[in-house]
């Protein structure tokens, strides 16, 4: 454990940030998982959920939780799934 005041403060800050990032990352994963489930069950409902999920993914990039290419991959794959599900239902 650190002894200097500044190092102790850094340790406290790191602990807080880690917890905040962990919860935000979990929220992102749950939202993506829910959208995937929704696409499988009801494509029309998933279309309304898609913009909120994309927004959450973009916010995660902005906060540095995930990288930009990872976000692009998530969005692309979700859009492809949604398009396929919509085409099958029609």
């Amino acid at each position: 454990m650190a002894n200097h005041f500044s190092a102790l403060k850094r340790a406290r800050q790191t602990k807080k940030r880690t917890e905040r990032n962990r919860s935000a990352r979990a929220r992102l994963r749950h939202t993506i998982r829910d959208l995937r489930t929704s696409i499988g069950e009801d494509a029309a409902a998933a279309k309304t959920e898609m913009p909120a999920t994309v927004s959450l993914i973009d916010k995660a990039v902005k906060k540095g939780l995930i990288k930009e290419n990872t976000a692009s991959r998530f969005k692309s794959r979700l859009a492809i799934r949604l398009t396929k599900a919509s085409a099958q239902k029609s």
Side-chain angles (χ1 to χ4, degrees):
M1 187 65 191
N3 290 323
H4 293 282
F5 176 77
S6 58
L8 291 168
K9 182 177 178 180
R10 274 280 167 219
R12 288 193 307 267
Q13 289 175 333
T14 301
K15 195 173 182 180
K16 277 191 238 175
R17 285 191 188 118
T18 301
E19 191 58 39
R20 191 180 309 132
N21 289 338
R22 184 177 291 139
S23 113
R25 203 173 289 122
R27 180 172 175 231
L28 175 67
R29 283 195 305 261
H30 286 299
T31 306
I32 291 172
R33 192 177 304 135
D34 291 344
L35 180 61
R36 286 182 185 142
T37 306
S38 172
I39 288 171
E41 294 170 358
D42 184 18
K47 273 191 178 181
T48 60
E49 289 178 31
M50 184 71 168
T53 304
V54 168
S55 174
L56 193 65
I57 291 170
D58 290 336
K59 286 177 186 173
V61 170
K62 189 175 180 183
K63 291 177 184 178
L65 294 175
I66 58 175
K67 294 186 177 180
E68 203 165 329
N69 286 350
T70 305
S72 294
R73 187 175 65 244
F74 282 154
K75 292 187 284 188
S76 174
R77 288 179 181 173
L78 288 170
I80 289 168
R81 280 183 188 216
L82 186 58
T83 304
K84 284 183 181 178
S86 298
Q88 287 177 351
K89 301 288 180 182
S90 298

